[in-house]
Amino acid sequence: MAPAGLAVSAVLLLVVAPLVLSPFRLDLLAKYLCYAIVAVGIALAWGRGGMLTLGQGVFFGLGGYAMGMHLKLAEAGPGKLPDFMSWSGVESLPLLWKPFANPVFTLVMVVLLPVVVAVLLGSLVFRQRVRGAYFAVLSQALAAAFVILLVGQQGLTGGTNGLTNIQHFFGLDLYDDADRRLLYLIVALVLGLAYLGVRQLAASRYGQLLVAIRDGEDRVRFLGYDPALVKTVAFAVSAALAGVAGALFVPVVGLLTPANLGVVASLELLIGVAIGGRYSLAGAVGGALLFNYAKTVFSEELPDSWLYVQGALFVVVMVWAPRGIAGLAGQLRDRWARRGPLRPVSYPAGADRPQEVST
Amino acid sequence: MSLHQRARILLSLLMVSSVVVSMSACVDDPDSGRADGDTIKVGVLHSLSGTMAISEVTVRDSELLAIEQVNAAGGVLGKKLEPVVEDGASDWPTFAEKAQKLISEDRVATTFGGWTSASRKAMLPVFERNKQLLWYPVQYEGLESSPYIFYTGATTNQQIVPALDYLKEKGKKTIFLVGSDYVFPRTANKIIKAYAGANGMRVIGEEYTPLGNTEYSTIVNKLGQAKPDIVFNTLNGDSNVAFFKQLRSAGFTADTMPTVSVSVAEEEVAGIGPANVAGHLVAWNYYQTTPGATNDAFVTAYRAKYGADKVTSDPMEAGYNAVKLWAAAANKAGSVEVDAVKKAAAGISLDLPEGKVTIDGENQHVYKTARIGVIQPDGQIKEVWNSGQPIKPDPYLKSYPWAAGLA
């Protein structure tokens, strides 16, 4: 986004929203912003890198559970067990939980855990040249397996209930409106940093290479580059962003359950990006906000039938604007170009090639 | 910058600003009281979509029926109740979000809602933070007593413990535990094991399957090998359909492999197919066949509103009771303020479909009569045993020596 557009968005989110929104609506916006952070990562991996990742929920969950474990331990106090462990018959703190009492360790893990999983998965899968639909199915299976694992280990993870009743976040009182506003600002700032960072990355030589691999992986390989490495880096960055978003989601919403990171949740993360426009970072952010806001509004107005409306919205966007709302501009230009006098149609770097991901 | 890029930025900006601007349009008015105007808003928050919808929609229906009846009888404090229905979508964080919405946007006087323990655990902090009331209508695993929740379903000493008493009385010695993998079955089984240890019974197997699991041949095999006197079934939802069908197709009947279920009511029996479960035991506090004029009136009214083929079940009745109990407490208090209602609710006693229901002021649960029933081939449940009188709720099982150390 141009500096002017960025400035307007920053003013809207950092100044206008906290002033005009009620505490309840500001909380919801904070939640949408968490999803928008994930969307920035998806726009990089999917929009630029052509990796249709249906398992972002896994990374979201790894970051979220790391943070949730720390907050639950802080809540329980030294030497005490988190509430759900006593319901589940766990008598002493599991080994896995112990290091998460340390806030620095937790913050490192929020980023490191998703990155390690993404690098492992990426280096295995991309080296084997698994692409397109096969990669998508694999990432989705990962999300399904992750949920089963979490639900099955009730004493360790809280099972289906997840980690609930989180009241404090590094000294912030989450029952207090002023502190929650501060939390909102933190989320908005993290989103801003994520956006700027990924934009920089996408504009760099690396970013060009990523797009080149998306549009012709074999050609880039013949030029002497290692596509697996380039793709793994993009995948790991998107995983790190999802992890950070998950970690912020926990204090914002006050709980984290396997339902937040399963197959459906992972798909919803992707749908927001698809609606907004995956080739544009700003479009992805806008799409994530719009999609989640629409979900809230529809379910409030039409509690009986909101799912149909939401589904119809998605279908309409995908049929009439396959490149998302931000891609509408390019679509209109193409149409105009076709109607106008004969002139070459040029595709700007990294954007709006009408062809889909190569397989 | 090209025209095209500029247009793209404009469109993205438009998305962000439309969200912020339209959200600010939903400003609530913090000065309006919860009972101002001609009506009193009450929240009804159940899953209307997702896996739990099949069960929770029936509870919403019976709560709406109760609200209608309260209105027909003059309402609360002379005002009509206006239900605000929200969809929890079988998704626990959504329950928390919608609960907050009902409290701060709709400013409801109280909320009736939830089914799964997970949804209750998600909503609990919201109601405690806002110091508002939730009425939770389903039997659950106990070990909880929030000052901002009224529990109108059974706690463990009103359902599971009496069921065990009944099994002991019938001379059952070996128990096999089969359950869905979440907090209710795990806690229930912890209690069953403690009870068995203290009462000369033996747990000879314990199996969990994920919620929604439909493959039970392995477990049915294990049951055939272990030959328990009784199977204690805490499976939830559709899993029961698969479990009972596969049990039957393996050649077991209620005589050769008797089971007792705590999450199979009239609604579920219809889904499983009565022929597949006839003869098996269930433990609840209410059946559609429970005798009494109040229940006859409830069943008739429910069928008149929703269809003559509908059945009524325990959780539906507990949801119906919740509305009636809250209305009575608010009328007694002369106010819908939370503290006044809580104070007035203590000791309130109403004649409801399951019999006399009294609120225990201390833990905000209700006194309930335990009932063991046998599923009939026509899908109804026939009561074969009851506790004689309503049992005092004891969510932490403090009055049971064998349960020391469970909570």
Side-chain angles (χ1 to χ4, degrees), chain A residues 1-2 5 8-9 12-13 16-17 20-22 24-29 31-32 48 86-89 151-152 154 160-161 164-165 174-175 180 249 253 255 257 259-260 275-276 279-280 282-283 285-287 289-290 293 295-296 299-300 303-304 306-307 325-330 333 348 351-352, chain B residues 1-5 7-9 11-13 15-28 48-50 60 85-87 89-94 96-98 100-102 104-105 117-119 121-122 124-126 128-129 141 143-144 181-184 186-187 190 210-211 405-407:
Chain A
M1 214 185 285
V8 173
S9 293
L12 263 176
L13 291 178
V16 177
V20 300
L21 295 186
S22 68
F24 169 64
R25 295 291 165 191
L26 195 66
D27 273 356
L28 288 182
L29 186 57
K31 186 171 81 171
Y32 307 157
R48 306 287 155 135
S86 47
W87 309 331
S88 315
V151 170
Q154 189 172 302
T160 16
N161 286 10
T164 62
N165 207 354
L174 299 178
Y175 278 16
R180 296 192 67 89
F249 180 89
V253 175
L255 77 167
T257 80
N260 291 121
I275 287 179
Y279 299 121
S280 150
V285 169
L289 294 186
L290 198 65
Y293 175 61
K295 193 176 156 183
T296 304
S299 67
E300 280 175 8
D304 277 312
W306 65 278
L307 276 173
I325 295 172
L328 272 177
R333 184 207 49 199
D352 298 341
Chain B
M1 189 188 310
S2 75
L3 190 71
H4 159 237
Q5 266 170 315
R8 228 169 68 178
I9 288 157
L11 284 166
S12 304
L13 194 62
M15 282 191 272
V16 176
S17 52
S18 70
V19 168
V20 173
V21 170
S22 66
M23 275 178 96
S24 66
C26 333
V27 179
D28 56 300
L48 310 180
S49 57
R60 176 204 58 178
V85 178
E86 287 289 346
D87 178 13
S90 307
D91 177 58
W92 325 141
T94 302
E97 177 192 318
K98 297 299 177 194
Q100 183 67 55
K101 185 247 172 192
L102 286 169
S104 50
E105 303 287 303
S117 288
S119 68
K121 290 286 185 204
L124 180 143
V126 176
E128 292 192 347
R129 181 170 79 204
E141 70 279 1
L143 308 182
E144 190 182 294
D181 199 355
Y182 72 106
V183 67
F184 169 69
R186 289 212 176 250
T187 315
K190 219 168 76 175
L211 269 173
L406 279 181

Side-chain angles (χ1 to χ4, degrees), chain A residues 99-141:
Chain A
F100 285 94
N102 182 328
V104 178
F105 177 84
T106 304
L107 290 178
V108 172
M109 280 300 142
V110 160
V111 178
L112 199 61
L113 277 177
V115 167
V116 167
V117 172
V119 167
L120 272 179
L121 185 78
S123 50
L124 281 174
V125 167
F126 299 138
R127 260 220 203 277
Q128 297 299 317
R129 302 185 192 176
V130 176
R131 273 178 268 176
Y134 301 98
F135 173 74
V137 169
L138 200 116
S139 61
Q140 186 167 46

Side-chain angles (χ1 to χ4, degrees), chain B residues 185 191 302 387:
Chain B
I191 292 166
Y302 189 85
S387 58

Side-chain angles (χ1 to χ4, degrees), chain B residues 107-189:
Chain B
R107 306 194 64 73
V108 296
T110 193
T111 299
F112 307 97
W115 178 297
T116 61
S117 288
S119 68
R120 190 190 66 254
K121 290 286 185 204
M123 290 189 284
L124 180 143
V126 176
F127 285 95
E128 292 192 347
R129 181 170 79 204
N130 293 281
K131 298 192 166 50
Q132 292 294 321
L133 281 184
L134 168 70
W135 294 73
Y136 173 72
V138 182
Q139 44 79 236
Y140 82 114
E141 70 279 1
L143 308 182
E144 190 182 294
S145 182
S146 166
Y148 293 100
I149 300 180
F150 277 90
Y151 305 78
T152 62
T155 178
T156 46
N157 80 312
Q158 298 166 316
Q159 185 192 26
I160 289 170
V161 177
L164 290 167
D165 287 340
Y166 174 79
L167 296 176
K168 187 183 164 195
E169 191 184 303
K170 290 282 162 198
K172 308 284 188 196
K173 292 281 179 214
T174 53
I175 310 178
F176 200 110
L177 307 174
V178 178
S180 296
D181 199 355
Y182 72 106
V183 67
F184 169 69
R186 289 212 176 250
T187 315
N189 288 346

